[in-house]
Amino acid sequence: MSVQHSAGAAAVATPDSRRLGLRHSLTALRGGWFARLAGIALLTGVYYGSAKLGYQMKFSGPVGAIVWLPVGVGMSFLYLGGLGLWPGVVAGDLLANDYSTLPLGSAIGQTCGNVLEVVVAVVLLQRLIPDRRPLGRTASVVRMLIAIAAGTAVSATIGLASTRLGGVISTGDIPRLWRTWWLGDTSGALIVVPLALAWSRSAWRAELRQRAPEAVVVVAAVIGLSELAFRSSRPLTYLTFPAFVWAAFRLGWAGTTLVVAIAGGFAAWATAHYEGPFAFGSLTGNILATQAYIVVAALSSLFLAAAVWERERFAERLRASRVRLADATDNERKRIERDLHDGAQQRLTALAVYLELAAEQSEQAPEGAPEHFRHARQDLLTAIDELRELAHGIHPPALKQHGLAAAIRSLAGRSQLPLTVVALPHSRGDGSAEAAAYFVVAEALTNAQKHSRASSVWVSVRLMGHKLLVEVADDGVGGAHEAGGVGLQGLRDRVEALGGDFAIASRTGIGTHLRATIPARPAKT
């Protein structure tokens, strides 16, 4: 804001091959530099153009702009294209400064603040949201808001400090101007950044194209309602919110961010031209009311769209997990049938044969009957053992008889890795929740022993209210993911089938951390 506003080498390297390799290297280097320079030039032009658009709001001078769009432009370019594009922010901001109304030192100070603003926000976005998806989850939207708010605070602080040192403003003006500057930059970022992120993903654009007729109706409704609300001095701005809700529920991220940008543009333009319900009093009051409208509209729409997106993805995963559970149930039934046929059934059939032979022998030669009874007894005991092993594979006896804490202690006693049990529940939960928690721990330990090359594992299981919180972590090589096998995917299916949440964090070289939250009713006594 501005106050006035590939690898593999040949066995033998011949001179021709060396020249060819050098030529390819130079071409790749030239292409990389050309791409970067083109990105910087594009960023400079878009940044400068958005700054000129901000000046058209006519609210310039000591109170600053209503909405400062360049900050959103800079954040979007650097987040999507890389931090190496930062010279484009410097060039665009230096070109946009009005040196006739600002001392040179103050102008350069503002530019430094604006560049740091963008860089700080982008670095925080990358750190707070490692999956590079600031949209799609309410938690990610919160983190994106934190990053934007922190970055814009840097610009407001440095920019006003340099302006005060240049004698443009007085010390008493700083609190009011800081709020205006911060909200103006935050408003610009909340309009541009989500819009750029949403429209940069082809899947979200395709989702909007699939509902093109409905999108046209919603956009027309936003334009009409905004025109009605901001052409009148009456408090009619609430009329636009049903359109925001409609877009969030039906049009996905591309549609939601588009209608927010349209409505925010109407509000800022109308207020800058002293029209609409926000042009009612002092200049500072007008700006504050408009910025509050833009921030509330953007956050309401973004959080609602995130909640809808989360529910839809959860429903999709639930449908997919039901299919996988049905397949797994069928496969398990076939396995049990095969184990019974190949094991216990054969033993019981042999038992029947030996008993029949013993009955015949007892009539014809009684002295040979005991041997047949001994064979029958041995087959009976073997069949009992096989049935017991089969039943234990379905539901561990320690879990059923003594509870989850005892079953996990039993797992710890058999673990091949040093295992630390941090916490265990002191009371019993319902059987389904305890079984799911047990298998999460068992599968995590199995994976750690087989794949992680870890030196230690820790387990924590807590019964908190009506939820079981299960955590298993190791210090191994990491890199585990659900797509790598059916084990982790099966755990997610089991947990989510009970209405719980399952998450895995497994960064390469740091280890693996599984976390499951399972609804658990108190056990019936």
Side-chain angles (χ1 to χ4, degrees), residues 145-421:
L145 178 61
I146 292 172
I148 289 174
T152 52
V154 170
S155 175
T157 302
I158 296 178
L160 286 176
S162 62
T163 306
R164 175 64 187 89
L165 292 175
V168 179
I169 61 173
S170 64
T171 303
D173 292 330
I174 290 179
R176 174 175 55 85
L177 296 182
W178 192 95
R179 180 194 65 196
T180 301
W181 189 314
W182 180 66
L183 285 176
D185 283 19
T186 301
S187 300
L190 287 177
I191 288 176
V192 177
V193 173
L195 183 68
L197 295 177
W199 284 81
S200 66
R201 301 192 62 178
S202 59
W204 287 345
R205 296 196 305 270
E207 183 180 1
L208 185 64
R209 285 197 299 269
Q210 292 172 0
R211 296 176 175 174
E214 187 176 2
V216 171
V217 174
V218 174
V219 170
V222 170
I223 293 174
L225 293 173
S226 297
E227 181 71 15
L228 176 63
F230 291 102
R231 289 294 182 182
S232 172
S233 59
R234 297 179 181 180
L236 299 178
T237 52
Y238 59 86
L239 293 177
T240 57
F241 279 83
F244 299 153
V245 175
W246 188 358
F249 271 98
R250 297 288 299 167
L251 302 183
W253 286 107
T256 300
T257 54
L258 179 61
V259 299
V260 168
I262 293 173
F266 265 94
W269 188 267
T271 305
H273 292 80
Y274 302 94
E275 295 180 351
F278 299 140
F280 57 83
S282 67
L283 200 60
T284 304
N286 297 346
I287 294 176
L288 179 60
T290 308
Q291 291 171 339
Y293 168 79
I294 294 172
V295 170
V296 170
L299 292 182
S300 300
S301 302
L302 292 176
F303 279 115
L304 183 56
V308 172
W309 196 89
E310 283 180 325
R311 293 301 95 191
E312 290 179 350
R313 299 293 83 75
F314 181 80
E316 290 176 2
R317 292 199 306 270
L318 185 58
R319 286 192 292 268
S321 67
R322 286 177 176 175
V323 173
R324 289 191 296 268
L325 286 173
D327 292 340
T329 301
D330 186 56
N331 292 334
E332 186 67 12
R333 180 187 60 78
K334 292 177 180 179
R335 184 190 67 80
I336 294 174
E337 180 182 353
R338 183 176 60 253
D339 291 346
L340 287 173
H341 179 272
D342 296 341
Q345 182 176 335
Q346 298 297 328
R347 301 293 181 184
L348 293 174
T349 301
L351 171 63
V353 172
Y354 283 126
L355 289 175
E356 184 177 356
L357 291 175
E360 294 176 357
Q361 193 74 25
S362 63
E363 295 177 356
Q364 300 173 3
E367 66 279 1
E371 183 65 23
H372 293 295
F373 279 114
R374 281 194 294 271
H375 282 293
R377 177 178 180 277
Q378 184 60 42
D379 284 337
L380 177 60
L381 292 175
T382 303
I384 291 173
D385 289 339
E386 290 177 350
L387 289 172
R388 182 182 295 113
E389 289 298 322
L390 185 61
H392 288 180
I394 298 173
H395 202 82
L399 179 62
K400 183 176 182 180
Q401 297 171 8
H402 305 294
L404 180 59
I408 292 177
R409 291 192 187 98
S410 177
L411 283 176
R414 301 194 303 269
S415 175
Q416 300 175 8
L417 292 173
L419 189 148
T420 302
V421 179

